[in-house]
Amino acid sequence: MRFHSLPESKRYAEDEGEYAVLLGRYNTVLDELFAGGDVYVITSVWTTEAEVPPFQPDAGYWQSLVVEDDPDPEFRTYCHLFAARRPWRHGCLDELLRDIADDKAAGVFVTDTRMRRIHYPYDGGADVFLPTPEERDRTRDRHSHWLSGSPSGL
């Protein structure tokens, strides 16, 4: 399901009050998904080279994926993934979440260590993937006023 980070589907915060709202929404859902447990924070680096770029701060290399497997090597695209395991604490990702909300960072997701629950924040909101329809429905119902107004919920 897709949650909007600001009222009325506003995409970008313009003042500290709006940043407080979007961080509150991100952290509320993250707390519901991960409180009391460890999470992986997965970050990505996109390149046209198969060689793994230097490791990200506080994260170890996980794997690389060929995203565009063009026969011409000059047009291949790779996504290199880095993972950091950390205990979930409310607000522990606020700096990163703020960068994501400002479109300064992208391609980040947070997951439990079994990778059953995924929170994928982006500028404007977050997509949340849950293991069962029942858990999805409970989460959706608790935050129905944050959902997209489109018929598909996207």
Side-chain angles (χ1 to χ4, degrees), residues 136-154:
R136 177 203 61 213
D137 293 349
R138 283 191 306 272
T139 302
R140 179 197 64 215
D141 293 346
R142 270 193 306 273
H143 308 294
S144 61
H145 56 291
W146 298 350
L147 293 170
S148 169
S150 73
S152 68
L154 299 176

Side-chain angles (χ1 to χ4, degrees), residues 3-114:
F3 291 116
H4 289 224
S5 56
L6 289 168
E8 300 176 16
S9 304
K10 185 175 180 180
R11 190 159 191 142
Y12 297 103
E14 294 180 26
D15 58 40
E16 290 306 313
E18 289 181 341
Y19 280 110
V21 169
L22 72 86
L23 290 172
R25 288 184 180 191
Y26 282 142
N27 279 297
T28 295
V29 174
L30 287 162
D31 283 346
E32 290 173 7
L33 299 178
F34 308 122
D38 284 0
V39 297
Y40 287 121
V41 179
I42 312 293
T43 56
S44 59
V45 176
W46 293 74
T47 69
T48 56
E49 303 293 327
E51 183 177 321
V52 177
F55 286 35
Q56 300 298 298
D58 302 323
Y61 172 70
W62 179 27
Q63 67 178 316
S64 295
L65 308 168
V66 178
V67 178
E68 186 65 44
D69 193 13
D70 196 286
D72 184 341
E74 289 187 37
F75 295 104
R76 286 191 191 131
T77 305
Y78 299 87
C79 180
H80 306 282
L81 299 173
F82 298 84
R85 183 173 178 157
R86 60 172 46 186
W88 172 254
R89 290 182 333 277
H90 182 93
C92 70
L93 297 178
D94 280 1
E95 185 177 332
L96 178 60
L97 291 170
R98 192 172 171 132
D99 283 348
I100 292 167
D102 288 339
D103 200 23
K104 294 178 185 174
V108 174
F109 62 95
V110 182
T111 180
D112 61 289
T113 57
R114 294 179 59 206

